């Protein structure tokens, strides 16, 4: 073992770290438009957050999209996933 091979190993290790962190970073950036485009094409998938305790303490925006996290009081104003019963 000489100094050069040690340096090459270190460089290879550094290179692998850079590649893996770059891939993670790219995936993080790609995920947002994928989610937004899924909601645009298929529609939002609403989850009812409930109306509190017998209608009291109800959240103002009581519908939330499961996919993108968008909250609204009026999901009927937005595109919504149509659940099919055929399966
Ligand atoms: Zn959505």
């Amino acid at each position: 073992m000489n100094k050069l091979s040690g340096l090459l190993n270190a460089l290879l290790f550094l290179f692998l770290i850079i590649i893996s962190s770059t891939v993670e970073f790219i995936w993080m950036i790609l995920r947002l438009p994928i989610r937004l485009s899924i909601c645009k094409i298929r529609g939002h998938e609403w989850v009812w957050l409930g109306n509190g305790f017998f209608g009291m303490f109800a959240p103002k925006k009581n519908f939330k999209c499961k996919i993108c996290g968008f909250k609204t009081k009026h999901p009927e104003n937005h595109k919504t996933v149509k659940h099919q019963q055929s399966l």
Side-chain angles (χ1 to χ4, degrees):
M1 279 287 170
N2 53 33
K3 266 188 181 175
L4 188 70
S5 73
L7 187 73
L8 282 173
N9 279 337
L11 280 173
L12 189 72
F13 187 65
L14 199 72
F15 182 72
L16 287 173
I17 289 170
I18 288 165
I19 287 292
S20 65
S21 61
T22 305
V23 167
E24 250 175 63
F25 183 69
I26 289 166
W27 176 237
M28 205 175 75
I29 290 167
L30 282 175
R31 221 158 56 179
L32 190 71
I34 286 167
R35 279 187 179 189
L36 291 175
S37 63
I38 284 169
C39 283
K40 232 175 188 179
I41 296 159
R42 289 179 56 224
H44 296 289
E45 194 156 341
W46 302 110
V47 178
W48 192 51
L49 299 172
N51 64 346
F53 183 71
F54 294 103
M56 292 189 287
F57 315 113
K60 272 183 184 167
K61 292 176 179 178
N62 51 8
F63 284 91
K64 185 186 173 189
C65 176
K66 211 160 75 177
I67 301 153
C68 69
F70 177 70
K71 282 184 184 177
T72 184
K73 202 181 176 181
H74 301 286
E76 67 272 13
N77 295 346
H78 302 275
K79 200 176 175 183
T80 305
V81 175
K82 284 168 184 72
H83 291 281
Q84 279 146 3
Q85 301 291 317
S86 56
L87 285 166

